[in-house]
Amino acid sequence: MRSDRRSHVLDAALQVFASYGYRKASMEDVAQAADISRPGLYLYFSSKPELFRATVEHALEDSVEAAQRALADPDRPLHERLIEAFDRWAGRYVGPMADEIGVLIDSNPELLGAMPVEYPERFLAIVTEAIAADGDGRTHVPPGDVAATLHSTASGIKHEVSSRAEFRARMTTAIDLYCGR
């Protein structure tokens, strides 16, 4: 139960940090959003920097794990698995949320260490592996290049659209192009 409560707190913290920014967000704001007392919040996290780092790590880990689960089912067509993986990785952070989270990560590198590089690399590795394992020879482009191009496409789309449905539709078009549909 503690881990469910901790996840709830981290999800609420992500919303608060995205809304107010790191500097303006307070532990009290997070406590209110998570429906927990401020002293209760301090039982989980001793400081705002610790909470922020845990929040970003939680969001990135959740996104990578969700994408990995989407790509893991070899009985589903690659096309479907790729759409779901990119939706889980980037589609959940579309519109204004994408801009706010990007600013949070970019403006606080000292708090995050290597996370902003490591997690995208992990995501690209699992997408590359899925494309390589599919091996139907639809293109002579190396799987890593396809994964990187789709990732760049997803990054651009998430800043252009206002809804997750629109993100998913545009990524479906990009993946359809790769899959020759």
Side-chain angles (χ1 to χ4, degrees):
M1 182 58 97
R2 180 172 161 89
S3 112
D4 289 343
R5 183 66 175 156
R6 185 176 190 276
S7 289
H8 172 73
V9 168
L10 292 171
D11 291 340
L14 181 63
Q15 295 296 322
V16 170
F17 286 127
S19 296
Y20 299 127
Y22 174 75
R23 299 210 191 310
K24 290 184 182 177
S26 70
M27 294 293 273
E28 181 64 31
D29 294 330
V30 173
Q32 285 180 356
D35 197 28
I36 189 173
S37 69
R38 188 171 175 200
L41 179 61
Y42 278 102
L43 291 175
Y44 288 102
F45 306 99
S46 64
S47 67
K48 187 166 89 169
E50 179 187 347
L51 172 61
F52 179 70
R53 182 174 171 76
T55 298
V56 173
E57 185 172 29
H58 172 74
L60 290 171
E61 187 67 33
D62 187 51
S63 294
V64 167
E65 287 177 359
Q68 194 163 23
R69 284 190 304 274
L71 291 167
D73 183 0
D75 295 331
R76 289 177 55 208
L78 178 64
H79 174 263
E80 288 177 17
R81 293 182 287 141
L82 286 171
I83 292 167
E84 185 177 344
F86 278 97
D87 181 52
R88 301 299 176 122
W89 171 252
R92 61 197 284 186
Y93 305 113
V94 299
M97 182 96 161
D99 295 334
E100 295 301 326
I101 290 174
V103 168
L104 276 176
I105 290 172
D106 292 344
S107 61
N108 297 285
E110 71 284 357
L111 297 174
L112 299 177
M115 270 193 281
V117 173
E118 289 173 356
Y119 279 92
E121 286 176 354
R122 282 180 54 196
F123 175 73
L124 282 173
I126 62 173
V127 171
T128 299
E129 183 180 315
I131 291 169
D134 185 58
D136 74 353
R138 69 175 50 97
T139 180
H140 295 290
V141 178
D145 291 349
V146 173
T149 300
L150 289 174
H151 186 260
S152 295
T153 301
S155 294
I157 291 171
K158 81 177 181 182
H159 293 284
E160 294 177 357
V161 299
S162 58
S163 72
R164 190 170 184 174
E166 190 179 359
F167 171 85
R168 196 171 170 99
R170 299 254 324 262
M171 273 311 295
T172 298
T173 300
I175 292 166
D176 282 349
L177 290 169
Y178 163 67
C179 292
R181 291 177 154 239

